[in-house]
Amino acid sequence: MPEDHRPAKSVRVLLAEDQGMMRGALALLLGLEEDIEVVSQVATGDAIVAAALEKRPDVALLDIELPGRSGLDAAEDLREECPDCRVLILTTFGRPGYLRRAMEAGAAGFLVKDGPVEDLADAVRRALRGETVIDPVLAAAALSAGPNPLTARECDVLNASVDGATVSDIAARLHLSESTVRNYLSSAIGKTGTRNRMEAVREARQQGWL
């Protein structure tokens, strides 16, 4: 919609999505709303804060799995660097663990991508008004799932295992002893009810704990 047809105060939106077609479609659909203006589009997580500091959006719509830095990590960065910017997590992966992490990161809402665009536009407006917007089915699932049983260090060790790294590699990467790494891996495997670390990584990701 032409700029002069918009209200004097449009909601300024930053959109972070790594898939170009999806990013373009979301920007186009949101741009059709008279009171919403997409002021910035980024494809990587590590570009979010710089774009927000430059464009000063009112609301940031962030995917979770982004190159460089996850949307959840970027949400924490925005809370520090751009406290006036409200964050909505928009993801394909409606996992209870992701919802809990998003709320801990200060996000104003958590939505899945298969919802209607009208709901997304409404969520942007509601977030700007200070409301918390959460997919109700996912909220119920998160309550029943309980908190993440893994400690921060156990998550670090599992994340360092995803590329098939050896215990020695993980120890060097995280500045830990090899025996400490083995202890963390053993604990994480036990907590996830799996048989080995790769199964533990898969289960933790499926739950949204990583």
Side-chain angles (χ1 to χ4, degrees):
M1 177 166 294
E3 189 72 23
D4 58 334
H5 285 185
R6 294 186 181 277
K9 176 57 177 174
S10 293
V11 184
R12 297 169 58 81
V13 171
L14 178 150
L15 180 60
E17 163 63 54
D18 63 325
Q19 297 182 21
M21 187 175 294
M22 174 65 74
R23 186 172 65 251
L26 287 171
L28 177 62
L29 290 170
L30 287 171
L32 294 175
E33 301 290 324
E34 292 188 1
D35 60 337
I36 295 176
E37 179 184 6
V38 178
V39 296
S40 182
Q41 300 179 45
V42 299
T44 63
D46 46 17
I48 290 172
V49 172
L53 289 172
E54 177 185 357
K55 297 296 185 179
R56 295 293 175 180
D58 301 304
V59 176
L61 284 175
L62 310 181
D63 192 9
I64 290 180
E65 297 191 357
L66 293 168
R69 192 162 177 77
S70 79
L72 295 173
D73 291 333
E76 293 183 353
D77 297 339
L78 288 175
R79 181 170 57 181
E80 298 296 326
E81 300 289 339
C82 304
D84 293 333
C85 178
R86 301 280 283 172
V87 173
L88 288 175
I89 299 295
L90 182 65
T91 181
T92 304
F93 305 102
R95 298 168 182 167
Y98 279 164
L99 172 57
R100 286 182 175 274
R101 289 171 60 194
M103 296 301 101
E104 290 169 0
F110 192 104
L111 303 167
V112 290
K113 290 179 182 176
D114 59 0
V117 70
E118 294 83 3
D119 289 354
L120 178 57
D122 184 57
V124 168
R125 299 181 186 103
R126 291 172 61 190
L128 189 61
R129 294 197 298 264
E131 298 180 35
T132 299
V133 188
I134 300 173
D135 180 274
V137 175
L138 185 58
L143 288 173
S144 63
N148 180 359
L150 301 174
T151 67
R153 262 315 193 187
E154 288 164 356
C155 289
D156 289 342
V157 169
L158 286 181
N159 275 319
S161 302
V162 296
D163 58 357
T166 66
V167 168
S168 177
D169 293 334
I170 298 169
R173 190 177 302 171
L174 299 179
H175 307 291
L176 299 171
S177 69
E178 292 186 20
S179 62
T180 298
V181 169
R182 290 191 182 93
N183 287 339
Y184 282 134
L185 286 172
S186 177
S187 178
I189 290 167
K191 289 179 179 180
T192 55
T194 54
R195 296 172 298 179
N196 55 57
R197 59 174 164 157
M198 296 316 297
E199 286 186 5
V201 169
R202 285 196 294 271
E203 177 63 19
R205 281 187 162 179
Q206 182 62 34
Q207 295 296 331
W209 295 334
L210 294 183

